Amino acid sequence: MAKDPAKRVAELSAELEEHLYRYHVLAAPTISDQAFDRLLQELQALEKAHPDLKLPDSPTSRVGGEPTSAFPTVPHVRPMLSLDNSYSREDLEAFDRRVREGLADEEYSYVFELKIDGVALSLIYENSRLVRAVTRGDGIQGDEITANARTIPTIPLRLRQPGISCEVRGEVYMENAAFAALNIQREKDGEPLFANPRNSTAGSLKLQNPNLVATRNLRYFAYWTHRDDDGAQCHSERLDALREWGLVVNPATERCATVGEVFALYDRYAATREELPYEIDGVVVKIDRLDQQERLGNTAKSPRSAMAYKFPAYQARTALLDIHLQIGRTGAVTPVAILEPVPLAGSTISRASLHNEDEIRRKDIRIGDTVLIEKGGDIIPKVVDVDVKKRPKDAAQYQFPDQCPSCQGPLTRDAAEVKIRCENPSCPAQLRRRLEHFAARNAMDIDGLGPAVVEQLIASELVQDLGDLYDLELERVSALERMGKKSAENLLAGLERSKQQPFNRVLFALGIRHVGGTVASILAREFGSLAALQEASIEALEETPEIGPTIAQSLHISLAAPEIQPVLDKLVAAGLQFEMAAVAVSAVESYFSGKTVVITGTLANYSRDEAAALVERLGGKTTSSVSKKTDLLVAGDKAGSKLGKAQDLGIEIFDEAAFAARVQEAGAA
Ligand code: IVH
């Protein structure tokens, strides 16, 4: 006989949470991934069949949260202070003296912790349930990102002990391996790379789609908690409580009786920090006793009872062999230092950033110099200093070229940006970057158009602008060196397929400054076609949600530029999609034709993507936020603020049954 579903749901939820805890917190799983997935699927199926049985903390609810268009700003329960920084032994000794004086020679001890290089996050638990997660913001108020925090497996949705109401603070971070994998993927997809794990953590937490956040492998170390009346005497007791509740406290955390012990630990981690799977930028010492912390009090921005002691940046000295100018796809010129290869922080460095002309002049960096390079938080090291004493006699002051190294055209200086650009739209270096961007996976996704092929197409002058791509002929392409018929056919087939890419992809692929993938999707959705975008005034563009003046201006200027028109003409003639598909299929007359629809909450029989695809097939368009322009809101289970807003605006609202009926009526179900 089948089990009582309510019982089974509770059983499965508890069991799955326990396995998640064993896997992510204890790092000691007791079942295989497959066995876990089977349990999860069983729970998902039960919840789908009995939506009313789904528990608020169900392990299935870690993902699938509602996409959010903006994160509400909420005040912190207590101000989130920051730490004062020390950079030397003397600094920390001075801190220790201040503490001793502040405590009038009473005994004290420290807790030593690692300073995790991530993003601070405050978690609010009420009756052991995670109810809110808020970023630091300005310390007084931050962004509420609860749906994103729920996807982080080391953040418990429910504490392992009942009845606890508390605030937990800690650091969200990304392990180095996850960071590297993410950047490899982004490179493949033609997306900008993250400079370091901290930036990729911050970027991930700002994503508006929790399902995407869940793929980012974020983690959380808790380092602080507060609860009224817990009777705790010491910070270290509270760290123990955090562990008992199921949070992860960094294992390097240790009590130190003296500042001397702190120095020993600091030295140990300074020497071995490269072996840790995540980035730390120093250590933290905190007075252990809570009453002593209180007596020492706070300055305006940090507690007097704690101090960060930062590690020095990784540095090395090497010879500057040359300065290359790198030309981006929009013509921006960046000088790059070409170095005598030197080992630094686990890798061999042969290039470093020189930022811009001003920087080279200010530091009087010359070719032939011995330079000091530094790897701070970023992957790309930078040149921080020059050893003038080692300068060869004949080293001349660096003259920034006034010609583009690629097309020999003039370089111009943009006063506002301190940026130098090559303004020649047919500059081969720009064209190369533009073609690479156009072909990238998240743009036109053209198989067979990798960097090497791009190079050859440009060198042979078969391609002089994006538009020429679609005129390529098999015979000419297969005649290229190292090409052959097979790769040529592959390229042409890839180009042919790319004609089906939707308008938003095409718009992104054009490589207009400030028009990334998300912005392109918004513009495509709101304006529907290239013609409409070209006609739109800057003001009209700016009125679009999420489009600011910088984007509006860049788009307006780019689409009106005389040199882009022939390119666009060729692309239009080639049959690329310059209109949103929804317009094309709106021939299927339905209730949804011409309507702007927002879908919110959980639908039992469709995923939100499926429902949106249906609306679009039936001639409607879907947007993510409710506004006066919305015609219809489809509200599933647990519809949140959008439902309230739609009610306020008097917008028509469908529940799932009404939605399904209209879909069926149109014969599209
Ligand atoms: S304690 C009142 N402990 O470093 C100070 N912070 O300004 C509360 N951080 O962004 C912070 N590891 O998120 C503390 N073990 C640790 C930490 C840590 C990293 C971050 C923190 C904040 C910055 C300090």
Side-chain angles (χ1 to χ4, degrees), residues 83-92 266 281 307-313:
L83 291 167
D84 233 0
N85 289 323
S86 296
Y87 296 93
S88 68
R89 216 157 266 244
E90 291 72 43
D91 281 355
L92 198 69
Y266 172 90
D281 58 344
M307 179 63 85
Y309 182 8
K310 304 262 274 196
F311 292 136

Side-chain angles (χ1 to χ4, degrees), residues 137-211:
D138 62 6
I140 304 298
Q141 49 182 23
D143 292 341
E144 205 236 272
I145 56 155
T146 315
N148 286 349
R150 288 172 74 92
T151 69
I152 301 173
T154 41
I155 293 183
L157 301 182
R158 188 195 286 249
L159 300 177
R160 294 172 66 78
Q161 250 130 54
I164 292 163
S165 295
C166 65
E167 177 181 3
V168 174
R169 289 182 187 170
E171 200 84 350
V172 182
Y173 67 101
M174 190 181 280
E175 288 199 346
N176 299 335
F179 164 70
L182 176 63
N183 262 352
I184 288 171
Q185 188 58 45
R186 288 176 74 85
E187 177 134 53
K188 272 197 209 145
D189 294 346
E191 291 184 56
L193 303 188
F194 286 115
N196 53 50
R198 180 182 3 95
N199 288 6
S200 62
T201 303
S204 301
L205 287 178
K206 281 195 207 125
L207 289 171
Q208 296 182 344
N209 179 354
N211 293 310

Side-chain angles (χ1 to χ4, degrees), residues 296-308:
L296 288 164
N298 303 322
T299 67
K301 67 176 255 299
S302 47
R304 287 197 197 86
S305 56
M307 179 63 85

Side-chain angles (χ1 to χ4, degrees), residues 384-621:
V384 288
D385 202 8
V386 174
D387 192 342
V388 183
K389 278 192 245 114
K390 289 204 181 135
R391 172 168 291 166
K393 286 210 174 56
D394 56 351
Q397 218 173 33
Y398 181 71
Q399 290 299 328
F400 207 93
D402 47 19
Q403 277 190 342
C404 168
S406 174
C407 70
Q408 276 72 50
L411 294 182
T412 57
R413 181 181 252 273
D414 178 337
E417 281 191 287
V418 205
K419 267 276 180 193
I420 304 211
R421 335 188 125 259
C422 164
E423 304 277 4
N424 169 14
S426 31
C427 166
Q430 281 184 51
L431 181 59
R432 178 170 354 122
R433 301 256 176 244
R434 231 178 290 137
L435 286 168
E436 284 170 8
H437 171 80
F438 187 80
R441 185 106 76 95
N442 60 340
M444 300 303 279
D445 192 13
I446 303 171
D447 251 0
L449 190 55
V453 176
V454 164
E455 188 73 68
Q456 286 197 43
L457 291 172
I458 295 175
S460 62
E461 296 188 8
L462 279 181
V463 172
Q464 283 169 330
D465 62 44
L466 292 178
D468 291 343
L469 280 174
Y470 293 90
D471 286 336
L472 289 172
E473 287 162 7
L474 187 60
E475 209 176 316
R476 307 278 303 271
V477 177
S478 21
L480 291 175
E481 240 178 275
R482 295 187 308 275
M483 193 64 181
K485 189 142 179 253
K486 196 125 199 211
S487 342
E489 278 171 357
N490 185 26
L491 170 61
L492 294 194
L495 283 162
E496 196 54 39
R497 262 197 310 277
S498 74
K499 294 180 183 169
Q500 300 311 317
Q501 292 292 356
F503 174 47
N504 58 312
R505 292 271 203 128
V506 179
L507 183 59
F508 168 62
L510 293 178
I512 296 168
R513 276 178 87 200
H514 307 297
V515 179
T518 313
V519 167
S521 295
I522 295 169
L523 290 167
R525 196 178 62 208
E526 294 294 325
F527 289 85
S529 71
L530 177 72
L533 275 173
Q534 285 187 307
E535 275 164 26
S537 63
I538 296 194
E539 294 73 34
L541 292 168
E542 258 187 67
E543 273 169 25
T544 315
E546 295 177 70
I547 306 299
T550 315
I551 300 174
Q553 217 167 56
S554 167
L555 185 76
H556 192 76
I557 293 172
S558 302
L559 291 184
E563 61 273 8
I564 201 175
Q565 205 47 55
V567 179
L568 292 174
D569 288 345
K570 283 192 239 180
L571 295 177
V572 171
L576 266 58
Q577 309 293 320
F578 280 101
E579 280 183 8
M580 276 316 256
V583 181
V585 298
S586 63
V588 185
E589 258 316 303
S590 82
Y591 184 80
F592 302 100
S593 298
K595 292 201 166 132
T596 300
V597 183
V598 174
I599 302 164
T600 188
T602 317
L603 302 173
N605 294 307
Y606 315 82
S607 74
R608 239 199 315 273
D609 284 347
E610 285 164 359
L614 277 171
V615 168
E616 274 160 34
R617 238 169 65 205
L618 295 172
K621 71 173 185 175

